[in-house]
Amino acid sequence: MLRTALRNVFAHKARLLMTMLAVLLGVAFVSGTLVFTSTISDAFQKSSEKGYANVDVSIRQDKSDSPEGRGTVSPLSQRTLDRAGKLPGAKSATGVVSGFAALSDKNGKLVGDGFSTEGANYYAGRDGKSSDPRYPMKDGAAPRAPGQIALDAKTAERTGYKVGDTVRMSVNGPVRNEKVTGIYTTDDGNVAAGGSLVLFDNATAQKLFAKPGEYTDIQLKAEPGVSQTALKQRAEKILPSDAEAVTGKKLADDESKQIENGMSGMKTSLLAFAGISLFVGIFIIANTFTMLVAQRTKELALLRAVGASRRQVTRSVLIEALAVGVVAGLTGMAAGVGIAVGLRSLVGSMGTMPDGPLVIEPNTVVISLFVGVVITVLAAWLPARRAAKIPPVAAMGSVHAPATTRSLIVRNIIGALLSAAGAVLVLMATKMEDGGKAPMGAGAGLLLIGVFVLTPLLSRPLIAAAAPVLRLFNVSGKLARQNAVRNPRRTAATASALMVGLTLITGLTVIASGVQQAIEKMASDSLKADYTISMANFTPLSPTVEKKLARSDEVAATSPLRNTWADIDGEPEYLTGVNGSTIAQLTSLDFTKGGWSGIAGGKQVVVDTNTAKQQGWKPGSRFEVTYRDGKKGRLSVAGVYKGNELIKGILVDNKAVTPHMAKVADMQVLAKTKDGATAEVKKSLEKQLGDNPAVKVEDKKDISEGIAQMINIMLNMLYGLLAMAVIVAVLGVINTLAMSVFERGQEIGMLRAIGLDRRGVKRMVRLESLVISLFGGVLGIGLGVFFGWAAGELIASSLGTYSLVLPWGRMGIFLGLAALVGVLAALWPARRAARLNMLAAIKTE
């Protein structure tokens, strides 16, 4: 039986090729994902270890007892640094201060994306004359005075800056013109990953990122023979309050863990799409083996007649699947390594990944082979069982029925129950708000499986709906329709492969369209301001920006938005400071009770409905607040409004919050101009702010387009990933048609003999493929719209302006894509059918 199974594999090489390709693509996606994420994770971890090579102990802020997001405690002083340098076993002590620093390239554009552009101090010792071992100079000299900076070598190479050049940059808003005095090399992980690091002299960095004489971190280097643990214990004796000592090993381990956690999200997402491809591949494998078994019915019956048992027949089919799975797994593994190499080169060329070797872990090889073999064998198990159950005499007499009416009825009942259960779960989940994600996911899975089970039943009426169009093609059209519904199970499996991919693509597009419209509506409904001004990476903005705008002749009203934490009834809450006298001119909030009246005095607040409900507040309610500096005050509620993602929480006049802020900074500035939002006004405001690349001046249209751009980038990435499932589905259609042509060889020969020409045969096969593909496309788009609507109901609970948007244009493209799949998939099978020798085909048994 083993020899028989292997001979069958070699005898049906062409038929099994498409199946092998489907498995190969899925396995390649899995192995490529595992190799790429392991490679990039290893590169970042090694870069992180290099970055902490000169750090044995770090003294830093203790965040363990601070509520998340409540800001930083007082930085470390020069006195603590001096004491740390005198610790027994400490070879050196370095003060560190760092923060955001936006660098402009020679074209005036922001270097990087703003989130990885940092600034830090060059620590030249207490005397200011020593060298900083962290940043060895490659060219020029270290910064020693205000107006001087040093750039990392990678940023200098990327921007073309050299020693002696003057660069434009910003730290918190105002433009700074700095002279490049040196180019240095570094193992900093941020730089290795494509970021930039600008160095200032120690005093300037402290002024920009902390306070004079203070640091955010103190790094200790141990003497030879002194362990990190021993030095840490000694450092703990000099710690100020709210500070902690951490070993360099723990810092590296923590960063490695963060990197691993960051990679796990990407790995999970990529593997999910690989899983979708493999899920689609299951339909192809099951279809292929079902048709192979049907074509070899007499052969299998003969084996049973000469003594082979049911178990042996089943085993022979599974051995064929095992052979296909092993070959597909091995080739898929190799292809996956190639994909990983390509991705690494692509990411490396973008400068966003440190250098490192390709990492192929043993578990990657095992998982890839396991996936290829298990998926193939499981998909072939049902056809194998079906083959073994055929009675030998009936099979040899060709009187067996591949699918009884009873079996289809049972299938339809099971499909209806699964579909109903899934639909009910999805509908119930739409009313659950926060807790509805898990039930909706389960319901969507059940409904998708249920529809798949029901596709043989659905195929007849849906394909019959295409009859009027098919009649236009005369005999070829009529035969194509009959062939498409002749074997509903086969048609269902072929169409379902395409249905899965289009369901996901359509659902994501519907959700994205609704979110984009919701953001646009939110911006237009809640903002009267013509412009919002913020930093490129949403870090705090200098108050001088708002003051400069307020003095402009083109600006009618401004309001800075200042965020700070405070304790209300012992619980931390965000307070957002606004200009109470102008905020009503800049916003258009929907108040349910009360309004802005009285807020300008700094004694009253307005709150969103959710906060009011949680606190039990209404207009007139009074409460005590403890600010970050420990001082207390009493505030009262002036109004309650409907919050959204742009404006929500507790809004109070800046007079109440500014005196209690350690460092006054704005998160955003709202501005209304006399002439409204025009391109000329925007350009003028940008010029007044120094054409600063770190500062964004955006109108409502810019906000909407920015969000739309992010959504489109995300969708394009998802489309690219889901394209794998569509490619696998195309292979399935080709495979099914090719084997169907082989199975119907005698019939096609007879049609040719009675007058159907080659062009008519080609048209028949193409139309059959087109009908099956459009059937899968209609089901996929329909399910995608339903799932998009259901997910939108959950989103609407937190995004009040969300509403269902049907992107008819894109859905039309998706349906056209399904039709294109049908046309392309039929090219080879149609050509093969037309080339059949009619006499040879007629006499074939």
Side-chain angles (χ1 to χ4, degrees):
M1 294 302 294
L2 176 62
R3 287 196 299 271
T4 302
L6 294 177
R7 282 174 182 170
N8 280 323
V9 171
F10 289 109
H12 303 129
K13 293 189 292 291
R15 302 184 208 175
L16 293 172
L17 179 61
M18 296 297 176
T19 301
M20 197 175 296
L21 280 174
V23 180
L24 183 152
L25 286 172
V27 172
F29 210 153
V30 172
S31 62
T33 297
L34 294 174
V35 172
F36 174 66
T37 51
S38 296
T39 298
I40 196 171
S41 180
D42 180 73
F44 275 115
Q45 286 174 3
K46 286 181 178 176
S47 174
S48 172
E49 291 170 2
K50 287 180 181 178
Y52 290 111
N54 292 318
V55 181
D56 289 312
V57 173
S58 172
I59 298 174
R60 64 181 187 179
Q61 169 197 345
D62 183 5
K63 301 178 183 178
S64 59
D65 295 328
S66 301
E68 184 180 355
R70 296 189 68 181
T72 59
V73 296
S74 299
L76 304 166
S77 67
Q78 182 68 44
R79 180 174 176 272
T80 305
L81 176 60
D82 293 340
R83 293 181 67 190
K86 297 175 183 178
L87 285 173
K91 182 179 180 180
S92 64
T94 303
V96 179
V97 59
S98 62
F100 170 71
L103 183 70
S104 172
D105 64 17
K106 291 185 176 182
N107 297 319
K109 296 182 179 179
L110 181 66
V111 175
D113 56 10
F115 291 89
S116 56
T117 53
E118 295 186 358
N121 65 321
Y122 183 90
Y123 185 73
R126 189 71 182 267
D127 58 2
K129 297 179 181 179
S130 304
S131 61
D132 192 331
R134 299 173 299 167
Y135 309 117
M137 287 295 145
K138 179 181 179 182
D139 188 18
R144 302 287 182 180
Q148 299 179 354
I149 61 169
L151 297 178
D152 65 87
K154 286 193 174 183
T155 298
E157 181 183 354
R158 193 161 69 242
T159 58
Y161 285 130
K162 299 177 182 178
V163 173
D165 288 347
T166 298
V167 303
R168 295 173 67 252
M169 61 174 302
S170 176
V171 171
N172 60 353
V175 176
R176 302 173 62 90
N177 292 303
E178 310 282 355
K179 183 178 180 181
V180 179
T181 61
I183 307 292
Y184 67 93
T185 58
T186 179
D187 290 323
D188 184 276
N190 180 63
V191 173
S196 64
L197 181 61
V198 180
L199 298 183
F200 301 87
D201 67 281
N202 195 58
T204 302
Q206 288 178 325
K207 182 181 177 182
L208 293 173
F209 304 124
K211 289 181 179 179
E214 294 183 338
Y215 301 93
T216 54
D217 192 12
I218 293 174
Q219 296 177 350
L220 301 177
K221 180 69 177 174
E223 294 276 8
V226 179
S227 68
Q228 291 187 355
T229 304
L231 187 58
K232 173 180 176 290
Q233 291 173 349
R234 294 167 190 171
E236 286 174 341
K237 297 177 182 178
I238 65 164
L239 291 179
S241 59
D242 297 324
E244 64 175 348
V246 183
T247 63
K249 184 179 183 305
K250 187 177 188 306
L251 289 173
D253 290 344
D254 289 347
E255 190 162 312
S256 294
K257 191 174 291 183
Q258 289 178 358
I259 292 167
E260 188 176 340
N261 291 338
M263 290 297 104
S264 67
M266 180 174 68
K267 183 190 291 187
T268 302
S269 300
L270 291 173
L271 288 176
F273 287 103
I276 293 168
S277 298
L278 288 168
F279 180 66
V280 172
I282 288 174
F283 298 133
I284 300 174
I285 300 164
N287 229 8
T288 301
F289 278 95
T290 298
M291 294 173 74
L292 282 175
V293 166
Q295 292 169 11
R296 288 162 42 206
T297 299
K298 289 188 176 182
E299 174 190 326
L300 295 175
L302 183 60
L303 288 174
R304 290 288 311 281
V306 297
S309 65
R310 285 189 175 185
R311 183 174 296 178
Q312 286 177 311
V313 171
T314 302
R315 194 180 300 149
S316 70
V317 178
L318 292 180
I319 289 171
E320 290 182 49
L322 179 65
V324 171
V326 169
V327 174
L330 289 171
T331 51
M333 173 66 206
V337 172
I339 290 172
V341 170
L343 285 173
R344 187 185 65 167
S345 299
L346 176 64
V347 175
S349 66
M350 296 165 60
T352 56
M353 176 180 167
D355 295 330
L358 194 70
V359 178
I360 305 175
E361 297 179 350
N363 64 335
T364 299
V365 179
V366 173
I367 290 172
S368 300
L369 286 174
F370 178 80
V371 167
V373 171
V374 170
I375 290 293
T376 309
V377 171
L378 284 179
W381 178 70
L382 197 60
R385 282 195 63 204
R386 193 176 297 135
K389 286 183 177 180
I390 298 173
V393 175
M396 286 189 286
S398 299
V399 296
H400 66 287
T404 63
T405 304
R406 181 183 175 186
S407 68
L408 286 174
I409 292 173
V410 172
R411 176 171 178 154
N412 292 339
I413 292 172
I414 293 172
L417 291 174
L418 288 173
S419 300
V424 169
L425 262 178
V426 169
L427 293 174
M428 288 174 57
T430 59
K431 307 297 182 183
M432 294 182 184
E433 297 185 359
D434 294 339
K437 292 179 181 178
M440 182 168 290
L446 280 176
L447 181 55
L448 194 62
I449 295 170
V451 170
F452 164 65
V453 175
L454 279 176
T455 41
L457 177 66
L458 298 172
S459 64
R460 290 186 179 276
L462 287 178
I463 291 176
V469 177
L470 292 175
R471 287 197 194 101
L472 298 175
F473 298 95
N474 301 321
V475 176
S476 296
K478 183 177 180 181
L479 291 172
R481 183 179 67 82
Q482 291 175 348
N483 289 333
V485 297
R486 176 186 298 181
N487 191 331
R489 294 190 181 197
R490 182 191 304 163
T491 299
T494 306
S496 295
L498 192 58
M499 176 190 78
V500 173
L502 286 181
T503 296
L504 295 171
I505 290 173
T506 305
L508 291 170
T509 304
V510 170
I511 295 168
S513 300
V515 170
Q516 183 176 332
Q517 186 192 67
I519 298 297
E520 291 175 359
K521 191 171 187 300
M522 187 188 301
S524 61
D525 289 354
S526 60
L527 288 179
K528 290 182 184 177
D530 295 313
Y531 297 98
T532 62
I533 297 89
S534 62
M535 292 294 284
N537 69 335
F538 303 103
T539 54
L541 185 70
S542 171
T544 59
V545 171
E546 190 270 335
K547 292 176 182 177
K548 187 174 289 188
L549 288 171
R551 291 194 297 265
S552 172
D553 295 333
E554 296 175 294
V555 178
T558 63
S559 175
L561 304 184
R562 292 175 185 164
N563 292 342
T564 185
W565 283 92
D567 284 335
I568 298 175
D569 296 331
E571 294 294 328
E573 289 282 355
Y574 243 132
L575 298 180
T576 300
V578 299
N579 187 335
S581 60
T582 61
I583 190 66
Q585 303 174 50
L586 300 165
T587 59
S588 181
L589 300 183
D590 184 7
F591 280 91
T592 58
K593 297 176 182 177
W596 289 114
S597 178
I599 191 176
K603 299 294 184 182
Q604 292 185 303
V605 303
V606 297
V607 298
D608 66 337
T609 51
N610 289 337
T611 304
K613 185 178 180 181
Q614 290 171 4
Q615 299 286 355
W617 291 341
K618 58 184 179 180
S621 298
R622 299 177 64 83
F623 58 92
E624 189 173 274
V625 56
T626 303
Y627 298 101
R628 283 182 56 192
D629 60 358
K631 295 183 180 179
K632 297 185 178 181
R634 290 191 67 81
L635 299 171
S636 62
V637 178
V640 179
Y641 67 93
K642 293 180 180 179
N644 55 52
E645 293 303 309
L646 292 180
I647 302 177
K648 62 181 177 181
I650 304 172
L651 307 183
V652 61
D653 194 283
N654 277 318
K655 295 174 185 175
V657 298
T658 302
H660 307 288
M661 297 176 70
K663 189 173 182 179
V664 179
D666 303 328
M667 288 307 297
Q668 197 177 54
V669 175
L670 303 180
K672 188 173 182 62
T673 57
K674 295 175 183 177
D675 297 328
T678 65
E680 292 76 17
V681 171
K682 180 181 178 181
K683 190 173 182 179
S684 175
L685 293 180
E686 289 175 337
K687 188 173 182 180
Q688 291 176 48
L689 295 176
D691 288 324
N692 193 334
V695 176
K696 296 194 300 183
V697 179
E698 298 180 303
D699 57 21
K700 296 176 186 177
K701 184 179 178 182
D702 292 330
I703 294 172
S704 299
E705 287 179 351
I707 294 169
Q709 185 178 10
M710 289 189 291
I711 291 174
N712 285 332
I713 289 172
M714 179 192 70
L715 275 179
N716 289 335
M717 289 174 61
L718 294 174
Y719 289 162
L721 292 168
L722 286 170
M724 182 69 74
V726 176
I727 291 171
V728 173
V730 172
L731 294 175
V733 178
I734 296 172
N735 207 21
T736 300
L737 288 174
M739 298 183 74
S740 178
V741 166
F742 178 83
E743 188 180 76
R744 302 201 313 259
Q746 192 174 41
E747 173 189 320
I748 293 171
M750 186 65 71
L751 290 171
R752 289 289 315 284
I754 61 175
L756 188 64
D757 60 9
R758 289 186 174 183
R759 182 177 297 178
V761 171
K762 285 183 179 180
R763 189 182 299 122
M764 176 187 71
V765 176
R766 287 170 185 164
L767 289 172
E768 179 185 351
S769 175
L770 185 64
V771 167
I772 292 173
S773 296
L774 285 175
F775 169 52
V778 169
L779 282 182
I781 292 172
L783 282 174
V785 169
F786 177 70
F787 291 146
W789 165 81
E793 290 296 298
L794 282 184
I795 295 171
S797 63
S798 57
L799 189 60
T801 53
Y802 183 90
S803 60
L804 178 67
V805 176
L806 295 180
W808 294 106
R810 290 201 180 188
M811 288 194 297
I813 292 173
F814 298 155
L815 194 61
L817 176 65
L820 182 63
V821 165
V823 172
L824 293 178
L827 291 178
W828 179 62
R831 188 178 180 187
R832 183 182 177 189
R835 287 189 170 187
L836 283 176
N837 184 297
M838 66 178 78
L839 295 178
I842 291 172
K843 69 179 183 180
T844 300
E845 293 192 13

